[in-house]
């Protein structure tokens, strides 16, 4: 089993995109600063998508401007990433000074049609020129594949639908692929099937897993992925998250719970748990949310 795991904190993007409250840019930047202080280095800072599609992310440029004004701004930006939907998104990302971007498609046409108004193939065609541009400017690119286990519109996804999408994203030059169980329906058996189907296509060092926790399976699915050699785990502070175009999906696995599990397994994350709890409390207070993370609940009850 692996001794070190990287966490990609997606709360400021995946988390806040799903909340009905639109968080002001300065508070988003404050949250990101707190996550950075907890020693989360890879943070998804926001997205450059149509503000009509996701109004919660309309302020991403402002968030980045606020970050640039912080002492830790340069450090945060050096590893932080932004999600981009299209050329307009890439242009905005480049203008903001982002050096890591993520593009997103899915294993289901029904989902991409709702989420990005195009088929999987159309989304890949849209990414091709912008990926080429990103590569020439030294930008690293993560590719998300949503609905890797199930789709809210099409039902179960077979691993054979995921493999060609992963191949296409790697061919376009993605440095890493994040496998999204967007509606959180997967169980360990399906995670095993998926990762074994991808074995000869997607190298483990380029594989990330992104589990939403709709059915309470996220931690056990992460454990399964780790046992199979995956080292990059997406999670979201306070278990925030969801996709506005995936009805029934709930939050991502909570970062607090993932860190508790990894620490208990002796896997090195370098995360400062007390500061992580401060970030969690901050965002819950801002949004008026109860504690969803079991680890945060237990540690808070113990006075942490
Ligand atoms: P469209 O309507 O086909 O695009 O949407 P369009 O080019 O016709 O543009 C429509 C309007 O949006 C125009 O404005 C554009 O200028 C504007 P108008 O002229 O009508 O006033 N626009 C933009 N504005 C700012 N930045 C941009 C941008 N693009 C267009 N980048 C489009 C197609 C892809 C743009 C739209 O469907 C979209 O933005 N979708 C994004 C949806 C989204 O963000 N979903 C959540 C993220 S994915 C996710 O959460 C899953 C993940 O977490 C993994 C998992 O869990 O599985 C990653
Ligand atoms: Mg997601």
């Amino acid at each position: 089993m692996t001794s070190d795991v990287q966490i990609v904190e997606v709360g400021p993007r995946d988390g806040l995109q799903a909340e009905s409250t639109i968080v002001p840019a300065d508070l988003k930047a404050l949250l990101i600063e707190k996550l950075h202080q907890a020693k989360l280095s890879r943070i998804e800072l926001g997205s450059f998508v149509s503000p009509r599609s996701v109004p919660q992310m309309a302020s991403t440029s402002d968030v980045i401007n606020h970050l640039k004004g912080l002492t830790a701004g340069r450090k945060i930006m050096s590893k932080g990433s932004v999600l981009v939907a299209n050329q307009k998104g890439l242009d905005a990302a480049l203008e903001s000074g982002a050096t890591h971007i993520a593009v997103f498609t899915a294993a289901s046409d029904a989902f991409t049609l709702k989420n990005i108004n195009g088929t999987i193939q159309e989304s890949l065609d849209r990414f091709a020129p912008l990926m080429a541009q990103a590569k020439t400017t030294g930008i690293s690119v993560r590719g998300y594949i949503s609905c890797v286990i199930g789709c809210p519109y099409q039902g179960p996804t077979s691993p054979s639908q995921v493999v060609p999408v992963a191949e296409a994203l790697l061919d376009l030059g993605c440095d890493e692929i994040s496998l999204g169980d967007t509606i959180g329906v997967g169980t360990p058996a399906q995670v095993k099937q998926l990762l074994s189907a991808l074995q000869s296509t997607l190298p483990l060092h380029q594989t990330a897993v992104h589990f939403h926790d709709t059915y309470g399976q996220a931690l056990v699915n992460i454990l399964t992925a780790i046992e199979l050699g995956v080292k990059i785990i997406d999670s979201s502070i306070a278990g925030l998250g969801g996709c506005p175009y995936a009805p029934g999906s709930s939050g991502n696995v909570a970062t607090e719970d993932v860190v508790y599990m990894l620490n208990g397994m002796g896997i090195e994350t370098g995360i400062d748990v007390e500061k992580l709890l401060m970030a969690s409390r901050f965002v819950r207070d801002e949004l008026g949310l109860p504690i969803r993370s079991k680890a945060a609940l237990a540690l808070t009850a113990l006075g942490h």
Side-chain angles (χ1 to χ4, degrees), residues 10 35 43 85 88 136 139-142 160 187 195 198 205 219 236 246 255 259 264 273 276 278-279 298:
V10 298
L35 294 166
I43 305 174
K88 198 166 182 176
T136 57
I139 304 281
S140 84
V141 185
R142 155 180 268 219
S160 63
T187 59
L195 290 174
L198 283 165
H205 71 274
L219 271 186
S236 173
T255 306
V259 169
V273 174
L276 190 65
M278 283 163 71

Side-chain angles (χ1 to χ4, degrees), residues 168-251:
L169 288 173
L170 288 175
D171 285 349
L172 285 176
C174 280
D175 300 283
E176 178 177 297
I177 308 279
S178 180
L179 303 166
D181 182 8
T182 319
I183 51 171
V185 289
T187 59
Q190 287 155 314
V191 173
K192 271 188 197 154
Q193 271 173 12
L194 176 65
L195 290 174
S196 92
L198 283 165
Q199 210 172 17
S200 55
T201 305
L202 183 59
L204 282 171
H205 71 274
Q206 289 176 285
T207 308
V209 288
H210 179 107
F211 293 114
H212 286 259
D213 200 28
T214 319
Y215 289 85
Q217 303 295 300
L219 271 186
V220 74
N221 286 341
I222 289 172
L223 176 61
T224 304
I226 289 176
E227 283 174 346
L228 293 170
V230 172
K231 287 178 173 240
I232 309 166
I233 310 295
D234 295 1
S235 64
S236 173
I237 191 71
L240 302 176
C243 175
Y245 296 94
S249 74
S250 65

Side-chain angles (χ1 to χ4, degrees), residues 13-14 17 49-50 52 86 88 115 117 146 182 210 212:
R13 193 277 304 169
D14 202 336
Q17 78 180 8
V49 302
S50 164
R52 271 205 268 149
N86 49 16
K88 198 166 182 176
N115 196 38
N117 196 22
S146 288
T182 319
H210 179 107
H212 286 259

Side-chain angles (χ1 to χ4, degrees), residues 54-112:
V54 187
Q56 292 88 338
M57 290 290 116
S59 63
T60 296
S61 291
D62 294 337
V63 174
I64 291 179
N65 283 337
H66 279 288
L67 291 175
K68 285 178 181 160
L70 301 175
T71 314
R74 193 186 288 264
K75 253 191 167 169
I76 294 172
M77 288 297 293
S78 72
K79 291 216 170 157
S81 62
V82 290
L83 195 72
V84 309
N86 49 16
Q87 185 65 48
K88 198 166 182 176
L90 178 66
D91 293 343
L94 291 176
E95 201 179 311
S96 76
T99 50
H100 305 281
I101 64 162
V103 295
F104 53 109
T105 184
S108 147
D109 273 328
F111 181 75
T112 54

